[in-house]
Amino acid sequence: MSETTVPATRTAASSAVSPVIAESPTARGRRARIALRTLQVVLALFYVIASALPKLIAHPSAAEGFDKMGWGSAGMYIIGVLELAGGIALLIPVLQSVAAVALSGLMVGAFVVQLTYFDGENAATPLILIVPLALIAWARRGHNADLLRLVRRRA
């Protein structure tokens, strides 16, 4: 006969935070971690290469859109730097959740701009990008406590 022990009490920390599937030690959890990490890398590459780079090198297609909005090159470079920083931060464990939330906010702004200045021509793109960003923000939310500890320690 085998013995199975069950912990008599749960600690406050273990009952306050339920394990996230992406952090589960099971095979399903491992696959979820790999899929989530792959999604983060793909999104990071998208934001750095396809979105930020044209703005930072002042590609004519990017410059034309910002000129049409009246934001000029300054607005283009600011948005490019924000996208570059967000794309890089998606790959840094302690910043992943915050980066996903920040990029989601940027995508809400992009959606509004698409509707107001460009007659909704590509308005679906920012909305589609918000979905995986929200998933990353939720799945990596445990890192927010680590980031908060880091900030408090430095303050």
Side-chain angles (χ1 to χ4, degrees):
M1 219 160 135
S2 66
E3 283 186 31
T4 305
T5 58
V6 178
T9 61
R10 295 174 71 182
T11 63
S14 68
S15 63
V17 178
S18 62
V20 178
I21 290 176
E23 296 173 5
S24 173
T26 65
R28 180 178 177 200
R30 183 173 182 276
R31 287 191 303 270
R33 276 194 316 276
I34 292 169
L36 187 63
R37 191 63 174 164
T38 302
L39 179 64
Q40 285 177 244
V41 169
V42 168
L43 281 174
L45 288 172
F46 169 78
Y47 278 106
V48 170
I49 296 170
S51 195
L53 188 63
K55 293 173 183 80
L56 296 175
I57 65 170
H59 191 272
S61 63
E64 179 183 314
F66 280 90
D67 286 340
K68 182 177 179 182
M69 292 184 291
W71 293 8
S73 61
M76 179 178 63
Y77 290 128
I78 289 169
I79 299 296
V81 167
L82 290 173
E83 289 175 339
L84 177 66
I88 293 169
L90 279 175
L91 302 176
I92 301 171
V94 75
L95 298 175
Q96 294 167 346
S97 180
V98 172
V101 170
L103 286 170
S104 294
L106 202 58
M107 290 302 97
V108 168
F111 173 72
V112 171
V113 164
Q114 287 294 328
L115 288 180
T116 56
Y117 288 100
F118 301 104
D119 299 324
E121 187 177 317
N122 295 314
T125 304
L127 293 179
I128 292 168
L129 288 169
I130 288 174
V131 174
L133 288 170
L135 175 67
I136 292 167
W138 178 82
R140 302 296 191 195
R141 69 190 183 279
H143 292 293
N144 291 342
D146 299 334
L147 180 61
L148 190 57
R149 265 187 252 113
L150 255 171
V151 170
R152 284 183 179 162
R153 190 178 317 146
R154 298 213 183 245

